[in-house]
Amino acid sequence: MQQFKWCPWLPVDHDPCPPAVKQVLQAAYRPIAFSKFGEEKLREAGLDPLYVPHGIETAIFKPGDKAKARESLGLKDTEFLAVMVAANKGAPSRKSFGEVFKAWKMFLNDHPDAVLYCHTNPGTENAGENLEGLAKAEGIPQANLRFADPYRLLMGYPQQWLATLYQAADVLLSPSTGEGFGVPIVEAQACGCPVIVGNWTSMPELCFGGWTVTGQAKMTPLLANQFIPSITSIAGALREAHENKDNERLQRKCINGAIVYDADTVARNFWKPALAQIEEDLKPKPIAVKGLNFEDNAA
């Protein structure tokens, strides 16, 4: 890998940067981090990263009519709608389904008509958790929890459908144990939907309108920390989200923060400068020999 110049565009979802990741990156010409958090952790590891975030299609992910969105999704009479858009991969889950379900059960004690929609596989198809069984064990009624259609999920829901989901929602739940970026967090806010995220890794920098929850550090097999979110903190954030439902000021903060991550804006403000810098660094440098200039790679 050291025989050519390669620039990995990568996530850092641990704190600090895992030693194994640092070792691999020693062979790279220059890493490019998804997040400012990742950029910071790579610098702490002695690397010299660039920063280019993910981008979203703001022509698709934009505010819409909540009532119409709910009607189109069959959620017309839902009193409060929370959503998770997270892959059910690995056990225990990096997306904190277990902690979210416990917090959701607590929230339902005061809001029995609320619905949590999980845009993910409910079973173990992708070596994930048995989420239907987990919900049953937690005592969450079926009326208060819904999952994506497995076949449509396999074939791929269109982006417009996801935008409609965010437009219909009152809050996005995404308190992952660690995030390299968190595309749904930005997509949801672009639609005016507040978020609940962890106060670690990339998530705080992407929380423009919403709430960060507390958590406890846990060492992973990569010999770096991810974080277990506090169940009571998630439940408290859900209550605040309910109290601030349809808060226009909060929605505006979401939209204004997310618009910066428009794909065209990211290409113009981040990718072009990053690639230009790499190109400039790779240009042959003239060297002086007995008063004459030669390119150092001239043959």
Side-chain angles (χ1 to χ4, degrees):
M1 295 297 287
Q2 293 177 328
Q3 300 306 306
F4 61 96
K5 293 179 171 61
W6 59 287
C7 299
W9 186 44
L10 76 150
V12 180
D13 62 0
H14 283 67
D15 190 359
C17 174
V21 175
K22 177 182 177 180
Q23 182 178 1
V24 170
L25 293 178
Q26 299 294 331
Y29 176 70
R30 195 162 187 185
I32 306 173
F34 287 173
S35 67
K36 295 175 183 176
F37 166 83
E39 180 186 25
E40 177 186 351
K41 295 304 163 182
L42 292 176
R43 288 196 188 282
E44 289 177 0
L47 300 165
D48 185 23
L50 295 169
Y51 162 66
V52 178
H54 276 288
I56 64 167
E57 294 290 350
T58 57
I60 296 174
F61 296 100
K62 59 185 178 181
D65 186 290
K66 178 180 283 189
K68 289 182 179 179
R70 288 192 176 185
E71 185 173 5
S72 69
L73 297 175
L75 298 164
K76 181 179 179 180
D77 298 322
T78 303
E79 185 264 341
F80 181 84
L81 176 63
V83 301
M84 289 188 75
V85 179
N88 180 21
K89 294 182 179 180
S93 169
R94 183 173 65 86
K95 298 299 185 177
S96 306
F97 286 106
E99 290 76 19
V100 167
F101 281 14
K102 284 184 179 294
W104 186 248
K105 183 61 171 63
M106 294 171 62
F107 178 72
L108 289 176
N109 291 334
D110 297 319
H111 306 283
D113 297 324
V115 172
L116 171 61
Y117 169 82
C118 294
H119 191 71
T120 194
N121 285 309
T124 59
E125 298 91 330
N126 295 316
E129 297 182 319
N130 178 4
L131 298 183
E132 289 180 319
L134 179 61
K136 185 176 180 180
E138 294 291 353
I140 299 175
Q142 289 185 351
N144 300 107
L145 181 64
R146 305 194 186 180
F147 292 97
D149 177 83
Y151 179 76
R152 291 187 68 188
L153 196 65
L154 177 65
M155 300 305 294
Y157 279 81
Q159 283 192 315
Q160 184 57 62
W161 192 96
L162 279 174
T164 302
L165 176 66
Y166 296 135
Q167 292 164 2
D170 292 302
V171 71
L172 173 81
L173 278 163
S174 191
S176 304
T177 61
E179 282 288 354
F181 187 76
V183 172
I185 298 171
V186 180
E187 290 176 342
Q189 290 176 102
C191 296
C193 176
V195 297
I196 296 173
V197 298
N199 66 353
W200 48 85
T201 61
S202 67
M203 292 177 279
E205 70 190 68
L206 300 179
C207 184
F208 321 120
W211 301 268
T212 57
V213 301
T214 59
Q216 181 174 336
K218 180 181 179 180
M219 188 70 66
T220 78
L222 287 178
L223 304 180
N225 292 313
Q226 290 196 322
F227 297 80
I228 307 301
S230 162
I231 296 165
T232 56
S233 187
I234 297 172
L238 280 167
R239 287 190 286 269
E240 289 194 41
H242 187 275
E243 292 171 4
N244 287 274
K245 185 171 63 171
D246 298 325
N247 183 309
E248 292 185 3
R249 179 175 174 273
L250 186 61
Q251 292 171 343
R252 181 51 53 188
K253 289 175 66 176
C254 292
I255 297 165
N256 289 342
I259 198 70
V260 176
Y261 294 87
D262 171 76
D264 291 335
T265 301
V266 169
R268 181 177 62 252
N269 293 347
F270 295 98
W271 272 120
K272 284 187 176 181
L275 295 175
Q277 184 172 341
I278 293 170
E279 182 182 29
E280 181 64 28
D281 292 342
L282 289 174
K283 284 182 178 179
K285 303 295 189 294
I287 56 176
V289 179
K290 295 181 179 181
L292 299 176
N293 288 335
F294 296 89
E295 292 187 347
D296 57 1
N297 68 340

mmCIF file of all heavy atoms in Angstrom, residues 90-127:
data_model
loop_
_atom_site.group_PDB
_atom_site.id
_atom_site.type_symbol
_atom_site.label_atom_id
_atom_site.label_comp_id
_atom_site.label_asym_id
_atom_site.label_seq_id
_atom_site.Cartn_x
_atom_site.Cartn_y
_atom_site.Cartn_z
ATOM 1 N N GLY A 90 -24.916 -6.344 13.909
ATOM 2 C CA GLY A 90 -24.066 -6.562 15.068
ATOM 3 C C GLY A 90 -24.857 -6.673 16.356
ATOM 4 O O GLY A 90 -25.939 -6.110 16.492
ATOM 5 N N ALA A 91 -24.316 -7.442 17.289
ATOM 6 C CA ALA A 91 -24.939 -7.610 18.587
ATOM 7 C C ALA A 91 -23.831 -7.673 19.646
ATOM 8 O O ALA A 91 -22.948 -8.522 19.549
ATOM 9 C CB ALA A 91 -25.796 -8.877 18.617
ATOM 10 N N PRO A 92 -23.848 -6.755 20.622
ATOM 11 C CA PRO A 92 -24.861 -5.709 20.818
ATOM 12 C C PRO A 92 -24.782 -4.630 19.739
ATOM 13 O O PRO A 92 -23.749 -4.447 19.104
ATOM 14 C CB PRO A 92 -24.512 -5.133 22.194
ATOM 15 C CG PRO A 92 -23.046 -5.401 22.346
ATOM 16 C CD PRO A 92 -22.817 -6.716 21.681
ATOM 17 N N SER A 93 -25.887 -3.935 19.566
ATOM 18 C CA SER A 93 -26.028 -2.992 18.468
ATOM 19 C C SER A 93 -25.234 -1.711 18.696
ATOM 20 O O SER A 93 -25.275 -1.122 19.781
ATOM 21 C CB SER A 93 -27.504 -2.635 18.283
ATOM 22 O OG SER A 93 -27.649 -1.546 17.401
ATOM 23 N N ARG A 94 -24.520 -1.271 17.644
ATOM 24 C CA ARG A 94 -23.860 0.037 17.702
ATOM 25 C C ARG A 94 -24.870 1.166 17.703
ATOM 26 O O ARG A 94 -24.569 2.290 18.140
ATOM 27 C CB ARG A 94 -22.897 0.188 16.512
ATOM 28 C CG ARG A 94 -22.103 1.478 16.511
ATOM 29 C CD ARG A 94 -21.060 1.505 15.425
ATOM 30 N NE ARG A 94 -21.633 1.495 14.096
ATOM 31 C CZ ARG A 94 -22.021 2.603 13.441
ATOM 32 N NH1 ARG A 94 -21.918 3.796 14.014
ATOM 33 N NH2 ARG A 94 -22.510 2.511 12.226
ATOM 34 N N LYS A 95 -26.075 0.892 17.241
ATOM 35 C CA LYS A 95 -27.107 1.927 17.149
ATOM 36 C C LYS A 95 -27.941 2.052 18.418
ATOM 37 O O LYS A 95 -28.919 2.814 18.453
ATOM 38 C CB LYS A 95 -28.017 1.635 15.954
ATOM 39 C CG LYS A 95 -27.292 1.659 14.614
ATOM 40 C CD LYS A 95 -26.685 3.022 14.319
ATOM 41 C CE LYS A 95 -26.064 3.064 12.934
ATOM 42 N NZ LYS A 95 -25.528 4.405 12.592
ATOM 43 N N SER A 96 -27.605 1.300 19.456
ATOM 44 C CA SER A 96 -28.216 1.456 20.788
ATOM 45 C C SER A 96 -29.712 1.151 20.816
ATOM 46 O O SER A 96 -30.474 1.793 21.535
ATOM 47 C CB SER A 96 -27.972 2.879 21.331
ATOM 48 O OG SER A 96 -26.607 3.215 21.323
ATOM 49 N N PHE A 97 -30.154 0.152 20.042
ATOM 50 C CA PHE A 97 -31.569 -0.197 20.063
ATOM 51 C C PHE A 97 -32.032 -0.594 21.469
ATOM 52 O O PHE A 97 -33.128 -0.235 21.886
ATOM 53 C CB PHE A 97 -31.850 -1.346 19.089
ATOM 54 C CG PHE A 97 -31.831 -0.945 17.642
ATOM 55 C CD1 PHE A 97 -30.767 -1.300 16.823
ATOM 56 C CD2 PHE A 97 -32.875 -0.211 17.098
ATOM 57 C CE1 PHE A 97 -30.748 -0.935 15.481
ATOM 58 C CE2 PHE A 97 -32.864 0.157 15.759
ATOM 59 C CZ PHE A 97 -31.795 -0.209 14.954
ATOM 60 N N GLY A 98 -31.216 -1.330 22.200
ATOM 61 C CA GLY A 98 -31.610 -1.767 23.540
ATOM 62 C C GLY A 98 -31.872 -0.608 24.472
ATOM 63 O O GLY A 98 -32.896 -0.585 25.182
ATOM 64 N N GLU A 99 -30.985 0.378 24.475
ATOM 65 C CA GLU A 99 -31.161 1.539 25.349
ATOM 66 C C GLU A 99 -32.351 2.386 24.901
ATOM 67 O O GLU A 99 -33.119 2.888 25.729
ATOM 68 C CB GLU A 99 -29.882 2.387 25.364
ATOM 69 C CG GLU A 99 -28.708 1.742 26.079
ATOM 70 C CD GLU A 99 -28.039 0.647 25.286
ATOM 71 O OE1 GLU A 99 -28.230 0.606 24.037
ATOM 72 O OE2 GLU A 99 -27.316 -0.170 25.885
ATOM 73 N N VAL A 100 -32.514 2.524 23.591
ATOM 74 C CA VAL A 100 -33.645 3.305 23.073
ATOM 75 C C VAL A 100 -34.965 2.649 23.442
ATOM 76 O O VAL A 100 -35.924 3.328 23.862
ATOM 77 C CB VAL A 100 -33.526 3.477 21.544
ATOM 78 C CG1 VAL A 100 -34.838 4.009 20.962
ATOM 79 C CG2 VAL A 100 -32.393 4.428 21.190
ATOM 80 N N PHE A 101 -35.057 1.336 23.322
ATOM 81 C CA PHE A 101 -36.313 0.646 23.635
ATOM 82 C C PHE A 101 -36.665 0.790 25.114
ATOM 83 O O PHE A 101 -37.837 0.974 25.467
ATOM 84 C CB PHE A 101 -36.210 -0.835 23.258
ATOM 85 C CG PHE A 101 -36.385 -1.094 21.777
ATOM 86 C CD1 PHE A 101 -36.335 -0.056 20.851
ATOM 87 C CD2 PHE A 101 -36.587 -2.375 21.306
ATOM 88 C CE1 PHE A 101 -36.488 -0.293 19.485
ATOM 89 C CE2 PHE A 101 -36.750 -2.631 19.947
ATOM 90 C CZ PHE A 101 -36.690 -1.581 19.039
ATOM 91 N N LYS A 102 -35.676 0.696 25.983
ATOM 92 C CA LYS A 102 -35.951 0.892 27.412
ATOM 93 C C LYS A 102 -36.436 2.324 27.680
ATOM 94 O O LYS A 102 -37.386 2.538 28.442
ATOM 95 C CB LYS A 102 -34.694 0.608 28.224
ATOM 96 C CG LYS A 102 -34.361 -0.873 28.384
ATOM 97 C CD LYS A 102 -33.152 -1.066 29.276
ATOM 98 C CE LYS A 102 -32.823 -2.552 29.453
ATOM 99 N NZ LYS A 102 -33.880 -3.271 30.186
ATOM 100 N N ALA A 103 -35.794 3.295 27.047
ATOM 101 C CA ALA A 103 -36.215 4.686 27.220
ATOM 102 C C ALA A 103 -37.613 4.913 26.638
ATOM 103 O O ALA A 103 -38.417 5.669 27.197
ATOM 104 C CB ALA A 103 -35.197 5.617 26.557
ATOM 105 N N TRP A 104 -37.895 4.257 25.510
ATOM 106 C CA TRP A 104 -39.205 4.399 24.871
ATOM 107 C C TRP A 104 -40.313 3.869 25.777
ATOM 108 O O TRP A 104 -41.378 4.472 25.894
ATOM 109 C CB TRP A 104 -39.211 3.692 23.529
ATOM 110 C CG TRP A 104 -40.463 3.894 22.732
ATOM 111 C CD1 TRP A 104 -41.411 2.980 22.413
ATOM 112 C CD2 TRP A 104 -40.912 5.134 22.160
ATOM 113 N NE1 TRP A 104 -42.417 3.544 21.680
ATOM 114 C CE2 TRP A 104 -42.139 4.878 21.507
ATOM 115 C CE3 TRP A 104 -40.388 6.433 22.137
ATOM 116 C CZ2 TRP A 104 -42.850 5.872 20.851
ATOM 117 C CZ3 TRP A 104 -41.103 7.411 21.471
ATOM 118 C CH2 TRP A 104 -42.311 7.139 20.842
ATOM 119 N N LYS A 105 -40.048 2.751 26.439
ATOM 120 C CA LYS A 105 -41.030 2.194 27.371
ATOM 121 C C LYS A 105 -41.293 3.164 28.512
ATOM 122 O O LYS A 105 -42.452 3.352 28.927
ATOM 123 C CB LYS A 105 -40.536 0.855 27.931
ATOM 124 C CG LYS A 105 -41.524 0.162 28.867
ATOM 125 C CD LYS A 105 -42.823 -0.169 28.140
ATOM 126 C CE LYS A 105 -43.739 -1.061 28.978
ATOM 127 N NZ LYS A 105 -44.185 -0.416 30.225
ATOM 128 N N MET A 106 -40.273 3.824 29.017
ATOM 129 C CA MET A 106 -40.435 4.825 30.065
ATOM 130 C C MET A 106 -41.276 5.995 29.561
ATOM 131 O O MET A 106 -42.165 6.494 30.246
ATOM 132 C CB MET A 106 -39.067 5.321 30.543
ATOM 133 C CG MET A 106 -38.217 4.271 31.239
ATOM 134 S SD MET A 106 -36.511 4.828 31.551
ATOM 135 C CE MET A 106 -36.809 6.223 32.645
ATOM 136 N N PHE A 107 -40.996 6.437 28.340
ATOM 137 C CA PHE A 107 -41.715 7.559 27.747
ATOM 138 C C PHE A 107 -43.191 7.227 27.556
ATOM 139 O O PHE A 107 -44.065 8.089 27.739
ATOM 140 C CB PHE A 107 -41.062 7.914 26.412
ATOM 141 C CG PHE A 107 -41.721 9.028 25.653
ATOM 142 C CD1 PHE A 107 -41.615 10.340 26.076
ATOM 143 C CD2 PHE A 107 -42.446 8.760 24.497
ATOM 144 C CE1 PHE A 107 -42.215 11.370 25.364
ATOM 145 C CE2 PHE A 107 -43.050 9.782 23.783
ATOM 146 C CZ PHE A 107 -42.942 11.087 24.222
ATOM 147 N N LEU A 108 -43.488 5.980 27.203
ATOM 148 C CA LEU A 108 -44.872 5.574 26.960
ATOM 149 C C LEU A 108 -45.741 5.633 28.214
ATOM 150 O O LEU A 108 -46.971 5.717 28.107
ATOM 151 C CB LEU A 108 -44.919 4.158 26.382
ATOM 152 C CG LEU A 108 -44.428 3.982 24.936
ATOM 153 C CD1 LEU A 108 -44.452 2.514 24.553
ATOM 154 C CD2 LEU A 108 -45.276 4.807 23.970
ATOM 155 N N ASN A 109 -45.124 5.603 29.376
ATOM 156 C CA ASN A 109 -45.908 5.674 30.610
ATOM 157 C C ASN A 109 -46.733 6.955 30.677
ATOM 158 O O ASN A 109 -47.846 6.964 31.216
ATOM 159 C CB ASN A 109 -44.980 5.590 31.823
ATOM 160 C CG ASN A 109 -44.343 4.225 31.978
ATOM 161 O OD1 ASN A 109 -44.904 3.227 31.527
ATOM 162 N ND2 ASN A 109 -43.184 4.168 32.603
ATOM 163 N N ASP A 110 -46.194 8.038 30.131
ATOM 164 C CA ASP A 110 -46.907 9.322 30.122
ATOM 165 C C ASP A 110 -47.489 9.672 28.754
ATOM 166 O O ASP A 110 -48.287 10.612 28.643
ATOM 167 C CB ASP A 110 -45.963 10.449 30.569
ATOM 168 C CG ASP A 110 -45.474 10.267 31.992
ATOM 169 O OD1 ASP A 110 -46.294 9.867 32.855
ATOM 170 O OD2 ASP A 110 -44.278 10.497 32.236
ATOM 171 N N HIS A 111 -47.089 8.938 27.716
ATOM 172 C CA HIS A 111 -47.548 9.234 26.353
ATOM 173 C C HIS A 111 -47.924 7.932 25.662
ATOM 174 O O HIS A 111 -47.229 7.480 24.733
ATOM 175 C CB HIS A 111 -46.456 9.983 25.589
ATOM 176 C CG HIS A 111 -45.968 11.215 26.284
ATOM 177 N ND1 HIS A 111 -46.686 12.387 26.291
ATOM 178 C CD2 HIS A 111 -44.857 11.435 27.030
ATOM 179 C CE1 HIS A 111 -46.016 13.305 26.991
ATOM 180 N NE2 HIS A 111 -44.911 12.751 27.452
ATOM 181 N N PRO A 112 -49.016 7.325 26.071
ATOM 182 C CA PRO A 112 -49.374 5.983 25.593
ATOM 183 C C PRO A 112 -49.766 5.909 24.122
ATOM 184 O O PRO A 112 -49.878 4.804 23.580
ATOM 185 C CB PRO A 112 -50.554 5.605 26.491
ATOM 186 C CG PRO A 112 -51.142 6.918 26.932
ATOM 187 C CD PRO A 112 -49.979 7.850 27.060
ATOM 188 N N ASP A 113 -49.967 7.044 23.467
ATOM 189 C CA ASP A 113 -50.368 7.031 22.064
ATOM 190 C C ASP A 113 -49.211 7.309 21.112
ATOM 191 O O ASP A 113 -49.412 7.420 19.903
ATOM 192 C CB ASP A 113 -51.482 8.062 21.821
ATOM 193 C CG ASP A 113 -52.750 7.741 22.596
ATOM 194 O OD1 ASP A 113 -53.060 6.542 22.730
ATOM 195 O OD2 ASP A 113 -53.418 8.680 23.071
ATOM 196 N N ALA A 114 -48.005 7.418 21.644
ATOM 197 C CA ALA A 114 -46.840 7.717 20.812
ATOM 198 C C ALA A 114 -46.425 6.482 20.009
ATOM 199 O O ALA A 114 -46.670 5.344 20.404
ATOM 200 C CB ALA A 114 -45.686 8.198 21.682
ATOM 201 N N VAL A 115 -45.791 6.727 18.861
ATOM 202 C CA VAL A 115 -45.339 5.650 17.981
ATOM 203 C C VAL A 115 -43.854 5.842 17.677
ATOM 204 O O VAL A 115 -43.409 6.953 17.371
ATOM 205 C CB VAL A 115 -46.145 5.622 16.665
ATOM 206 C CG1 VAL A 115 -45.542 4.620 15.678
ATOM 207 C CG2 VAL A 115 -47.603 5.286 16.933
ATOM 208 N N LEU A 116 -43.096 4.742 17.777
ATOM 209 C CA LEU A 116 -41.703 4.719 17.353
ATOM 210 C C LEU A 116 -41.607 3.875 16.094
ATOM 211 O O LEU A 116 -41.974 2.700 16.093
ATOM 212 C CB LEU A 116 -40.817 4.118 18.453
ATOM 213 C CG LEU A 116 -39.353 3.829 18.063
ATOM 214 C CD1 LEU A 116 -38.629 5.115 17.649
ATOM 215 C CD2 LEU A 116 -38.610 3.148 19.216
ATOM 216 N N TYR A 117 -41.145 4.482 15.015
ATOM 217 C CA TYR A 117 -40.949 3.760 13.756
ATOM 218 C C TYR A 117 -39.455 3.531 13.570
ATOM 219 O O TYR A 117 -38.662 4.485 13.592
ATOM 220 C CB TYR A 117 -41.505 4.541 12.570
ATOM 221 C CG TYR A 117 -41.083 3.957 11.239
ATOM 222 C CD1 TYR A 117 -41.763 2.874 10.686
ATOM 223 C CD2 TYR A 117 -39.983 4.465 10.549
ATOM 224 C CE1 TYR A 117 -41.359 2.310 9.476
ATOM 225 C CE2 TYR A 117 -39.569 3.912 9.338
ATOM 226 C CZ TYR A 117 -40.273 2.834 8.814
ATOM 227 O OH TYR A 117 -39.857 2.283 7.628
ATOM 228 N N CYS A 118 -39.070 2.279 13.386
ATOM 229 C CA CYS A 118 -37.667 1.920 13.176
ATOM 230 C C CYS A 118 -37.463 1.514 11.721
ATOM 231 O O CYS A 118 -37.994 0.480 11.285
ATOM 232 C CB CYS A 118 -37.257 0.772 14.102
ATOM 233 S SG CYS A 118 -37.274 1.206 15.848
ATOM 234 N N HIS A 119 -36.712 2.301 11.000
ATOM 235 C CA HIS A 119 -36.440 2.020 9.588
ATOM 236 C C HIS A 119 -35.249 1.077 9.527
ATOM 237 O O HIS A 119 -34.102 1.482 9.245
ATOM 238 C CB HIS A 119 -36.170 3.319 8.837
ATOM 239 C CG HIS A 119 -36.152 3.150 7.349
ATOM 240 N ND1 HIS A 119 -37.283 2.900 6.613
ATOM 241 C CD2 HIS A 119 -35.123 3.178 6.459
ATOM 242 C CE1 HIS A 119 -36.974 2.799 5.338
ATOM 243 N NE2 HIS A 119 -35.657 2.952 5.223
ATOM 244 N N THR A 120 -35.523 -0.207 9.795
ATOM 245 C CA THR A 120 -34.474 -1.210 9.860
ATOM 246 C C THR A 120 -35.089 -2.595 9.840
ATOM 247 O O THR A 120 -36.313 -2.739 9.938
ATOM 248 C CB THR A 120 -33.629 -1.018 11.132
ATOM 249 O OG1 THR A 120 -32.421 -1.770 11.030
ATOM 250 C CG2 THR A 120 -34.385 -1.454 12.387
ATOM 251 N N ASN A 121 -34.250 -3.618 9.729
ATOM 252 C CA ASN A 121 -34.729 -4.994 9.822
ATOM 253 C C ASN A 121 -35.090 -5.321 11.267
ATOM 254 O O ASN A 121 -34.291 -5.056 12.175
ATOM 255 C CB ASN A 121 -33.643 -5.974 9.354
ATOM 256 C CG ASN A 121 -33.479 -5.976 7.849
ATOM 257 O OD1 ASN A 121 -34.459 -6.110 7.134
ATOM 258 N ND2 ASN A 121 -32.251 -5.833 7.373
ATOM 259 N N PRO A 122 -36.259 -5.917 11.508
ATOM 260 C CA PRO A 122 -36.639 -6.259 12.877
ATOM 261 C C PRO A 122 -35.987 -7.533 13.394
ATOM 262 O O PRO A 122 -36.027 -7.805 14.590
ATOM 263 C CB PRO A 122 -38.153 -6.439 12.785
ATOM 264 C CG PRO A 122 -38.384 -6.890 11.386
ATOM 265 C CD PRO A 122 -37.341 -6.200 10.560
ATOM 266 N N GLY A 123 -35.382 -8.322 12.484
ATOM 267 C CA GLY A 123 -34.818 -9.603 12.874
ATOM 268 C C GLY A 123 -33.317 -9.666 12.738
ATOM 269 O O GLY A 123 -32.631 -8.649 12.650
ATOM 270 N N THR A 124 -32.801 -10.883 12.676
ATOM 271 C CA THR A 124 -31.351 -11.109 12.712
ATOM 272 C C THR A 124 -30.765 -11.386 11.331
ATOM 273 O O THR A 124 -29.704 -12.005 11.216
ATOM 274 C CB THR A 124 -31.045 -12.293 13.646
ATOM 275 O OG1 THR A 124 -31.732 -13.466 13.160
ATOM 276 C CG2 THR A 124 -31.507 -12.003 15.065
ATOM 277 N N GLU A 125 -31.424 -10.923 10.270
ATOM 278 C CA GLU A 125 -30.972 -11.205 8.907
ATOM 279 C C GLU A 125 -29.526 -10.758 8.660
ATOM 280 O O GLU A 125 -28.786 -11.405 7.930
ATOM 281 C CB GLU A 125 -31.878 -10.526 7.882
ATOM 282 C CG GLU A 125 -33.322 -10.982 7.902
ATOM 283 C CD GLU A 125 -34.193 -10.136 8.816
ATOM 284 O OE1 GLU A 125 -33.675 -9.612 9.824
ATOM 285 O OE2 GLU A 125 -35.382 -10.004 8.514
ATOM 286 N N ASN A 126 -29.133 -9.633 9.231
ATOM 287 C CA ASN A 126 -27.785 -9.088 9.012
ATOM 288 C C ASN A 126 -26.915 -9.250 10.253
ATOM 289 O O ASN A 126 -26.103 -8.376 10.578
ATOM 290 C CB ASN A 126 -27.881 -7.606 8.624
ATOM 291 C CG ASN A 126 -28.577 -7.408 7.297
ATOM 292 O OD1 ASN A 126 -28.316 -8.129 6.342
ATOM 293 N ND2 ASN A 126 -29.463 -6.430 7.232
ATOM 294 N N ALA A 127 -27.093 -10.390 10.933
ATOM 295 C CA ALA A 127 -26.349 -10.669 12.167
ATOM 296 C C ALA A 127 -26.605 -9.587 13.215
ATOM 297 O O ALA A 127 -25.721 -9.261 14.018
ATOM 298 C CB ALA A 127 -24.857 -10.807 11.873
#
